[in-house]
Amino acid sequence: MFDKIISGGKLEKKVIENIKIHLKTLCSATECFRQAISIADKESTLCVAQLEREADSIRREIIKTIHQGAFLPFIRPNICRFIKIVDEAFDYLEDAAFEFRYINNEIFKIIENECSRIAKINSEMCELLLLAFEALIDKGDLKEKNLAIRICEKQIDDLKFEIIEKLRKIEIHNFWDGKIISDFVDYLTRLSDLLEDASDYLYIIEISLK
């Protein structure tokens, strides 16, 4: 696919490699968050912020290289939009990690199982997104990866509904406890929406190259 839009080659290859690194960094962040959630270790979520800083540096390098002339003009906005969506996914993950460090432990225990499953699916979706990008580059089956990501997102929607049903049945006396648990669930579940959006954008890029 990308052989149709590579003009010089060197800058384009640099962008492609950095996008892979960017996605792998996101995968590392979702996995370290999953592990922290699975053992309810709040301090372990600090790894997300560290990885987000690394990813931010990679993102700036990608954008700089694109502005230096990588890729033909018609495809640049789509690539930049894809990078922006991945960056937004990092932001939601970091927000979820932050809220988790201040979450009420007793409230969290009520929804711990569902949250752990969501964190696991988010991590799997990230790996699928990386595979989808590689499929785009290598002319693989992008549609199959896109479908798998959509199925994962639907699973998270179902788990979010279960969480909301559980939280509705408990009485929360402290405003901040309620806000933190609500924000945490929101950030945790909206991450999958962004991963699905990123996957859709890869499909848009693929269609635009035909």
XYZ file of all heavy atoms in Angstrom, residues 73-131:
496
model
N 1.262 14.965 -0.213
C 0.375 15.849 0.567
C -1.018 15.296 0.855
O -1.564 15.528 1.929
C 0.293 17.118 -0.307
C 1.586 17.128 -1.043
C 1.902 15.681 -1.336
N -1.596 14.541 -0.086
C -2.984 14.100 0.097
C -3.148 13.097 1.248
O -4.245 12.938 1.781
C -3.545 13.512 -1.211
C -3.170 12.078 -1.455
C -4.013 11.034 -1.064
C -1.970 11.753 -2.076
C -3.670 9.709 -1.304
C -1.628 10.431 -2.317
C -2.470 9.416 -1.933
N -2.053 12.393 1.612
C -2.167 11.373 2.656
C -1.713 11.879 4.028
O -2.026 11.274 5.058
C -1.365 10.112 2.244
C -1.851 8.879 3.026
C 0.128 10.320 2.467
C -3.247 8.447 2.671
N -0.997 12.983 4.049
C -0.451 13.485 5.320
C -1.514 13.752 6.382
O -1.329 13.367 7.538
C 0.377 14.752 5.071
C 1.704 14.500 4.365
C 2.393 15.800 4.031
N 3.478 15.600 3.084
C 4.028 16.559 2.369
N 3.597 17.802 2.506
N 5.010 16.291 1.528
N -2.640 14.423 6.040
C -3.652 14.691 7.071
C -4.202 13.424 7.726
O -4.448 13.396 8.939
C -4.750 15.443 6.311
C -4.048 16.052 5.146
C -2.998 15.047 4.752
N -4.381 12.365 6.929
C -4.903 11.112 7.477
C -3.909 10.456 8.441
O -4.294 9.924 9.491
C -5.245 10.136 6.350
C -6.497 10.537 5.595
O -7.353 11.234 6.140
N -6.603 10.132 4.357
N -2.620 10.511 8.082
C -1.602 9.940 8.964
C -1.511 10.749 10.256
O -1.446 10.187 11.344
C -0.228 9.892 8.250
C -0.296 8.962 7.038
C 0.861 9.430 9.217
C 0.953 8.960 6.190
N -1.542 12.089 10.115
C -1.493 12.946 11.306
C -2.705 12.723 12.200
O -2.588 12.734 13.437
C -1.396 14.419 10.892
S 0.200 14.897 10.202
N -3.867 12.506 11.598
C -5.082 12.256 12.384
C -4.972 10.933 13.128
O -5.360 10.838 14.292
C -6.309 12.254 11.470
C -7.627 11.976 12.185
C -7.870 12.932 13.323
N -9.061 12.572 14.090
C -9.280 12.920 15.352
N -8.388 13.664 15.995
N -10.365 12.547 15.980
N -4.421 9.924 12.474
C -4.213 8.630 13.131
C -3.298 8.792 14.347
O -3.592 8.269 15.427
C -3.621 7.635 12.142
C -3.204 6.336 12.764
C -4.145 5.390 13.129
C -1.860 6.057 12.988
C -3.769 4.188 13.724
C -1.463 4.860 13.570
C -2.417 3.924 13.943
N -2.212 9.529 14.181
C -1.270 9.763 15.278
C -1.955 10.509 16.413
O -1.740 10.218 17.601
C -0.044 10.555 14.779
C 0.725 9.740 13.733
C 0.877 10.920 15.948
C 1.194 8.398 14.208
N -2.792 11.477 16.075
C -3.508 12.256 17.096
C -4.449 11.370 17.907
O -4.549 11.509 19.128
C -4.290 13.396 16.439
C -5.045 14.285 17.428
C -5.676 15.471 16.742
C -6.556 16.260 17.703
N -5.820 16.724 18.902
N -5.136 10.449 17.234
C -6.057 9.545 17.939
C -5.291 8.646 18.908
O -5.719 8.436 20.043
C -6.857 8.691 16.929
C -7.797 9.576 16.103
C -7.684 7.632 17.660
C -8.466 8.843 14.943
N -4.153 8.130 18.465
C -3.323 7.293 19.342
C -2.843 8.107 20.542
O -2.824 7.615 21.671
C -2.129 6.702 18.564
C -1.186 5.955 19.507
C -2.614 5.759 17.467
N -2.487 9.354 20.293
C -2.055 10.240 21.382
C -3.186 10.486 22.370
O -2.968 10.516 23.588
C -1.561 11.566 20.795
C -0.933 12.466 21.846
O 0.013 12.015 22.533
O -1.374 13.625 21.989
N -4.392 10.633 21.871
C -5.561 10.810 22.742
C -5.806 9.556 23.578
O -6.225 9.640 24.741
C -6.797 11.146 21.903
C -6.761 12.545 21.296
C -7.900 12.778 20.318
O -8.680 11.829 20.060
O -8.029 13.907 19.824
N -5.544 8.398 22.992
C -5.678 7.142 23.736
C -4.718 7.132 24.921
O -5.071 6.694 26.029
C -5.427 5.951 22.819
N -3.499 7.603 24.694
C -2.527 7.730 25.778
C -3.064 8.630 26.884
O -2.916 8.338 28.076
C -1.212 8.310 25.258
C -0.130 7.287 25.047
C 0.311 6.982 23.776
C 0.450 6.636 26.118
C 1.310 6.043 23.569
C 1.453 5.699 25.930
C 1.880 5.404 24.648
N -3.681 9.742 26.494
C -4.212 10.695 27.474
C -5.281 10.046 28.358
O -5.287 10.226 29.582
C -4.806 11.919 26.762
C -3.735 12.791 26.113
O -2.562 12.696 26.525
O -4.076 13.563 25.198
N -6.183 9.292 27.730
C -7.239 8.628 28.506
C -6.659 7.565 29.438
O -7.112 7.411 30.569
C -8.272 7.996 27.572
C -9.345 8.967 27.132
C -9.414 9.414 25.818
C -10.285 9.452 28.031
C -10.390 10.314 25.413
C -11.272 10.340 27.642
C -11.310 10.774 26.325
O -12.278 11.665 25.939
N -5.657 6.854 28.948
C -5.024 5.833 29.784
C -4.330 6.476 30.978
O -4.428 5.981 32.109
C -4.021 5.025 28.959
C -3.331 3.866 29.682
C -4.349 2.827 30.144
C -2.294 3.217 28.766
N -3.647 7.584 30.733
C -2.975 8.288 31.828
C -3.987 8.846 32.822
O -3.774 8.793 34.037
C -2.103 9.419 31.272
C -1.235 10.083 32.341
C -0.280 11.113 31.775
O -0.501 11.572 30.632
O 0.677 11.461 32.479
N -5.113 9.347 32.317
C -6.170 9.853 33.202
C -6.755 8.722 34.048
O -7.022 8.900 35.246
C -7.277 10.511 32.386
C -6.851 11.848 31.793
O -5.876 12.437 32.303
O -7.480 12.296 30.815
N -6.955 7.560 33.426
C -7.483 6.409 34.167
C -6.509 5.990 35.265
O -6.914 5.676 36.389
C -7.740 5.238 33.208
N -5.212 5.993 34.940
C -4.187 5.631 35.925
C -4.165 6.617 37.082
O -4.028 6.228 38.250
C -2.819 5.574 35.248
N -4.320 7.893 36.767
C -4.327 8.932 37.805
C -5.511 8.743 38.743
O -5.364 8.776 39.979
C -4.382 10.319 37.152
C -4.462 11.438 38.143
C -3.313 11.938 38.751
C -5.689 12.006 38.480
C -3.387 12.974 39.676
C -5.775 13.037 39.403
C -4.621 13.518 40.006
N -6.702 8.558 38.179
C -7.900 8.389 39.011
C -7.798 7.124 39.865
O -8.250 7.099 41.010
C -9.151 8.328 38.132
C -9.438 9.590 37.336
C -9.733 10.804 38.204
O -10.055 10.633 39.400
O -9.628 11.926 37.686
N -7.199 6.084 39.292
C -7.079 4.820 40.029
C -6.268 4.981 41.308
O -6.543 4.332 42.318
C -6.443 3.746 39.140
C -6.339 2.401 39.788
C -7.478 1.668 40.087
C -5.104 1.860 40.124
C -7.400 0.421 40.691
C -5.011 0.620 40.730
C -6.162 -0.108 41.019
N -5.291 5.864 41.287
C -4.442 6.064 42.475
C -5.208 6.716 43.618
O -4.748 6.676 44.767
C -3.211 6.899 42.098
C -2.231 6.141 41.206
C -0.873 6.805 41.153
N -0.881 8.053 40.421
C -0.739 8.149 39.101
N -0.625 7.046 38.374
N -0.719 9.316 38.508
N -6.358 7.296 43.337
C -7.142 7.969 44.383
C -8.500 7.305 44.609
O -9.333 7.818 45.348
C -7.352 9.446 44.016
C -6.064 10.219 43.976
C -5.359 10.371 42.778
C -5.519 10.777 45.125
C -4.160 11.056 42.731
C -4.317 11.470 45.091
C -3.646 11.603 43.886
O -2.454 12.293 43.859
N -8.685 6.148 44.007
C -9.976 5.480 44.067
C -10.233 4.892 45.452
O -9.308 4.485 46.158
C -10.031 4.368 42.985
C -11.441 4.144 42.488
C -9.424 3.066 43.476
C -11.500 3.364 41.180
N -11.503 4.876 45.840
C -11.910 4.255 47.097
C -11.810 2.731 46.929
O -12.474 2.144 46.075
C -13.345 4.668 47.435
C -13.832 4.076 48.742
O -13.918 2.867 48.904
N -14.166 4.945 49.697
N -10.982 2.099 47.753
C -10.707 0.665 47.593
C -11.954 -0.200 47.741
O -12.136 -1.183 47.009
C -9.642 0.212 48.595
C -8.281 0.804 48.290
O -7.968 1.106 47.140
N -7.471 0.992 49.323
N -12.814 0.150 48.673
C -14.006 -0.673 48.915
C -14.979 -0.582 47.744
O -15.599 -1.581 47.372
C -14.681 -0.231 50.216
C -13.828 -0.514 51.451
C -14.645 -0.479 52.729
O -15.876 -0.290 52.637
O -14.052 -0.657 53.795
N -15.104 0.610 47.177
C -15.973 0.753 46.000
C -15.374 -0.002 44.815
O -16.076 -0.688 44.066
C -16.176 2.240 45.647
C -16.895 2.966 46.790
C -16.986 2.378 44.359
C -17.025 4.466 46.580
N -14.063 0.114 44.655
C -13.412 -0.544 43.524
C -13.571 -2.060 43.584
O -13.737 -2.711 42.545
C -11.919 -0.183 43.479
C -11.174 -0.886 42.386
C -11.416 -0.581 41.051
C -10.244 -1.881 42.679
C -10.734 -1.242 40.033
C -9.562 -2.545 41.679
C -9.810 -2.220 40.355
N -13.545 -2.611 44.778
C -13.673 -4.067 44.916
C -14.970 -4.586 44.308
O -15.038 -5.720 43.827
C -13.588 -4.456 46.390
C -12.168 -4.412 46.957
C -12.147 -4.806 48.424
C -10.737 -4.726 48.992
N -10.697 -5.050 50.434
N -16.003 -3.743 44.324
C -17.309 -4.148 43.801
C -17.252 -4.362 42.285
O -17.950 -5.226 41.740
C -18.376 -3.089 44.158
C -18.515 -2.986 45.686
C -19.725 -3.416 43.514
C -19.384 -1.838 46.155
N -16.419 -3.578 41.624
C -16.339 -3.656 40.157
C -14.950 -4.097 39.686
O -14.624 -3.978 38.499
C -16.692 -2.288 39.526
C -15.738 -1.199 40.046
C -18.145 -1.927 39.792
C -15.886 0.132 39.334
N -14.160 -4.622 40.593
C -12.775 -4.978 40.276
C -12.669 -5.991 39.141
O -11.838 -5.852 38.234
C -12.080 -5.523 41.527
C -10.622 -5.874 41.302
C -9.924 -6.293 42.583
O -10.606 -6.407 43.636
O -8.707 -6.516 42.545
N -13.515 -7.009 39.174
C -13.443 -8.064 38.158
C -13.711 -7.508 36.767
O -12.962 -7.788 35.815
C -14.451 -9.170 38.484
C -14.369 -10.315 37.485
O -13.316 -10.880 37.245
N -15.515 -10.648 36.904
N -14.760 -6.682 36.648
C -15.104 -6.105 35.344
C -14.003 -5.155 34.856
O -13.655 -5.153 33.665
C -16.436 -5.345 35.429
C -17.658 -6.230 35.574
C -17.896 -6.682 37.011
O -17.139 -6.239 37.909
O -18.823 -7.463 37.240
N -13.447 -4.361 35.768
C -12.385 -3.424 35.391
C -11.132 -4.161 34.929
O -10.467 -3.738 33.970
C -12.054 -2.504 36.569
S -13.346 -1.309 36.942
N -10.823 -5.251 35.594
C -9.660 -6.051 35.188
C -9.857 -6.644 33.797
O -8.925 -6.680 32.984
C -9.417 -7.178 36.195
O -9.031 -6.657 37.450
N -11.061 -7.089 33.531
C -11.360 -7.646 32.207
C -11.286 -6.567 31.129
O -10.762 -6.806 30.029
C -12.747 -8.291 32.222
C -12.787 -9.608 33.011
C -14.204 -10.041 33.312
N -14.958 -10.342 32.101
C -16.278 -10.562 32.093
N -16.965 -10.496 33.232
N -16.896 -10.835 30.965
N -11.760 -5.367 31.450
C -11.681 -4.266 30.486
C -10.230 -3.894 30.207
O -9.838 -3.685 29.055
C -12.460 -3.037 31.000
C -13.969 -3.321 30.966
C -12.143 -1.793 30.162
C -14.817 -2.242 31.606
N -9.435 -3.812 31.263
C -8.016 -3.482 31.087
C -7.315 -4.527 30.224
O -6.459 -4.189 29.395
C -7.335 -3.372 32.455
N -7.693 -5.773 30.399
C -7.107 -6.863 29.591
C -7.520 -6.725 28.128
O -6.688 -6.873 27.216
C -7.550 -8.219 30.139
C -6.927 -9.425 29.428
C -7.340 -10.716 30.128
C -6.661 -11.932 29.494
N -7.091 -12.160 28.099
N -8.782 -6.428 27.890
C -9.262 -6.277 26.513
C -8.619 -5.061 25.855
O -8.249 -5.095 24.675
C -10.800 -6.178 26.469
C -11.432 -7.481 26.974
C -11.286 -5.881 25.051
C -12.933 -7.404 27.167
N -8.473 -3.969 26.616
C -7.800 -2.778 26.078
C -6.381 -3.117 25.616
O -5.921 -2.660 24.565
C -7.746 -1.672 27.130
C -9.036 -0.870 27.218
O -9.798 -0.806 26.255
N -9.281 -0.265 28.357
N -5.688 -3.916 26.432
C -4.334 -4.325 26.086
C -4.333 -5.170 24.809
O -3.478 -4.992 23.927
C -3.711 -5.110 27.241
O -2.383 -5.465 26.965
N -5.300 -6.065 24.698
C -5.414 -6.906 23.496
C -5.755 -6.068 22.269
O -5.237 -6.303 21.169
C -6.481 -7.977 23.723
C -6.096 -9.017 24.766
C -7.243 -9.926 25.151
O -8.400 -9.635 24.719
O -7.014 -10.912 25.870
N -6.612 -5.067 22.450
C -6.980 -4.190 21.342
C -5.772 -3.406 20.831
O -5.628 -3.169 19.627
C -8.079 -3.216 21.773
C -9.446 -3.840 21.927
S -10.708 -2.639 22.434
C -10.907 -1.693 20.919
N -4.921 -3.004 21.757
C -3.723 -2.270 21.377
C -2.801 -3.148 20.522
O -2.258 -2.694 19.504
C -2.994 -1.782 22.622
S -1.631 -0.676 22.241
N -2.648 -4.391 20.919
C -1.838 -5.328 20.133
C -2.450 -5.539 18.748
O -1.731 -5.618 17.740
C -1.722 -6.666 20.869
C -0.955 -6.610 22.178
C 0.537 -6.380 21.980
O 1.022 -6.568 20.834
O 1.212 -6.020 22.961
N -3.768 -5.611 18.686
C -4.454 -5.762 17.407
C -4.261 -4.527 16.531
O -4.119 -4.641 15.303
C -5.956 -6.006 17.629
C -6.355 -7.401 18.102
C -7.815 -7.413 18.562
C -6.148 -8.424 16.987
N -4.250 -3.342 17.156
C -4.040 -2.113 16.398
C -2.643 -2.092 15.773
O -2.473 -1.678 14.619
C -4.234 -0.894 17.302
C -4.115 0.477 16.620
C -5.183 0.640 15.541
C -4.227 1.598 17.651
N -1.665 -2.554 16.532
C -0.304 -2.653 15.996
C -0.270 -3.623 14.814
O 0.350 -3.338 13.774
C 0.658 -3.106 17.090
C 2.107 -3.387 16.658
C 2.743 -2.156 16.025
C 2.929 -3.871 17.859
N -0.932 -4.762 14.963
C -0.997 -5.745 13.871
C -1.725 -5.158 12.656
O -1.354 -5.440 11.504
C -1.713 -7.013 14.342
C -0.967 -7.878 15.361
C -1.859 -9.019 15.838
C 0.331 -8.439 14.758
